[in-house]
Amino acid sequence: MKYSDFKIKGKEKILDLVTGAVPVLRFPLFPEDMVEHCFTTREGGVSKGIYESMNLSFTRGDDEADVRKNYERIARFFGKKAEDIVCSDQTHTTNVLRVGRESAGCGVTRERTYTDIDGLITDEPGVILATFYADCVPLFFVDPVHRAIGLSHSGWRGTVGRMGQVTLEAMHREIGTNAGDVFAAVGPSICQECYEVSEDVMSAFAEEFSGHEDEIIRDQGNGKYLLDLWKSNEIVLTEAGIQRDHLAVTNICTCCNPSLLFSHRASHGKRGNLGAFMMLRE
């Protein structure tokens, strides 16, 4: 796999491809001396068939032993074990949970002790946060002042619910984070050209993002619209206090790159899951 293999929206290089045993995408925006993070690709795992090869879902029909091996490979990328990973329990909520060492292994090596959690935050080094995707938007947060991180899953429901703002509020409440200090990123996900929605979804966005309709909604006719989740989340984050020079917005679409990234729309649901991972260095 090479960076040039990806179909990129525009010419700016926002993400780096790190090659090796497990090829992953990373944002150079984040301070490497403080955090390790990645967004996975389809490559580097052991899963087969429609899940080939780095599938991180236990619930889509893949062999459980293969999925565990995939997690072990991701953990090694961080210099850790699968027991150090803490997984979300995504149900398209805006619920954010502070986790630490007591939650290590949840969703991988043991059952979760929580439900309905689409966002995770921590200030404990060595704990790997994990959230999952196949077109929805991953949101990354790094607070260099309080040495804290967050990861959140933001599909269309989460975006209408301003998941990015909710995550920042949780980090402020639990850890003392100020949004103006935070470095944030909108990760690889479906682009506007690929994301056709119905009128009810469009209406929800038009109401929540009043004044920004021309930036995020394109009328296709016949009650269909193209929706820009990237721009919508950028609006959420900047309005929540993220400085523009502290924000990176992806230009890599999951649906435009189905051979390199899992996409629910491109595969018509026959797919595995990608993962966003982040850890504070010890």
Side-chain angles (χ1 to χ4, degrees), residues 115-143:
T115 59
D116 303 311
I117 296 297
D118 282 73
L120 299 168
I121 61 175
T122 192
D123 61 352
E124 291 193 31
V127 176
I128 306 170
L129 306 183
T131 52
F132 307 97
Y133 306 91
D135 283 336
C136 290
V137 180
L139 301 176
F140 297 76
F141 303 86
V142 178
D143 175 357

Side-chain angles (χ1 to χ4, degrees), residues 25 27 37-40 56 71 74 78 85-88 90 120 128-133 137-140 150-153 187-188 273-279:
L25 294 161
F27 289 95
H37 78 286
C38 70
F39 187 80
T40 62
L56 296 162
Y71 274 99
I74 292 294
F78 285 82
I85 299 172
V86 181
C87 297
S88 54
Q90 294 168 199
L120 299 168
I128 306 170
L129 306 183
T131 52
F132 307 97
Y133 306 91
V137 180
L139 301 176
F140 297 76
L151 273 180
S152 288
H153 163 260
N273 272 355
L274 304 163
F277 295 86
M278 180 173 276
M279 179 190 77

Side-chain angles (χ1 to χ4, degrees), residues 199-257:
E199 189 164 357
D200 59 329
V201 175
M202 179 279 295
S203 296
F205 275 78
E207 180 178 355
E208 181 59 37
F209 294 91
S210 178
H212 296 284
E213 295 92 335
D214 291 345
E215 297 176 76
I216 64 172
I217 299 167
R218 192 182 308 162
D219 191 345
Q220 290 288 90
N222 299 317
K224 298 296 183 182
Y225 303 83
L226 295 178
L227 180 63
D228 192 340
L229 290 177
W230 298 354
K231 185 64 178 181
S232 298
N233 278 284
E234 178 184 339
I235 292 167
V236 169
L237 293 171
T238 54
E239 289 186 351
I242 299 292
Q243 300 181 53
R244 291 192 178 274
D245 61 350
H246 285 189
L247 178 62
V249 180
T250 187
N251 57 2
I252 295 180
C253 170
T254 46
C255 194
C256 288
N257 293 280

Side-chain angles (χ1 to χ4, degrees), residues 159-172:
T159 302
V160 166
R162 293 183 176 258
M163 182 52 147
Q165 176 183 327
V166 173
T167 306
L168 288 165
E169 290 171 348
M171 293 178 72
H172 176 73

Side-chain angles (χ1 to χ4, degrees), residues 20-181:
V22 180
V24 297
L25 294 161
R26 289 198 300 189
F27 289 95
L29 173 75
F30 296 137
E32 290 190 16
D33 60 339
M34 177 182 160
V35 298
E36 181 61 278
H37 78 286
C38 70
F39 187 80
T40 62
T41 68
R42 291 188 64 156
E43 295 191 5
V46 300
S47 295
K48 305 169 186 67
I50 63 172
Y51 312 107
E52 188 178 359
S53 66
M54 182 53 77
N55 168 44
L56 296 162
S57 173
F58 287 107
T59 62
R60 301 198 66 83
D62 195 4
D63 181 80
E64 185 174 313
D66 286 348
V67 180
R68 291 190 186 281
K69 289 177 184 176
N70 291 341
Y71 274 99
E72 290 167 2
R73 292 188 178 196
I74 292 294
R76 282 198 295 272
F77 173 83
F78 285 82
K80 293 290 182 178
K81 297 180 179 179
E83 290 85 349
D84 296 305
I85 299 172
V86 181
C87 297
S88 54
D89 183 49
Q90 294 168 199
T91 52
H92 296 278
T93 69
T94 54
N95 298 330
V96 178
L97 180 67
R98 182 179 183 177
V99 297
R101 180 56 53 185
E102 76 286 348
S103 298
C106 281
V108 183
T109 59
R110 63 189 180 103
E111 293 295 321
R112 295 173 180 84
T113 56
Y114 46 84
T115 59
D116 303 311
I117 296 297
D118 282 73
L120 299 168
I121 61 175
T122 192
D123 61 352
E124 291 193 31
V127 176
I128 306 170
L129 306 183
T131 52
F132 307 97
Y133 306 91
D135 283 336
C136 290
V137 180
L139 301 176
F140 297 76
F141 303 86
V142 178
D143 175 357
V145 175
H146 295 84
R147 291 188 60 83
I149 56 175
L151 273 180
S152 288
H153 163 260
S154 189
W156 77 259
R157 291 179 180 85
T159 302
V160 166
R162 293 183 176 258
M163 182 52 147
Q165 176 183 327
V166 173
T167 306
L168 288 165
E169 290 171 348
M171 293 178 72
H172 176 73
R173 182 176 63 251
E174 296 284 340
I175 301 169
T177 293
N178 294 310
D181 298 326

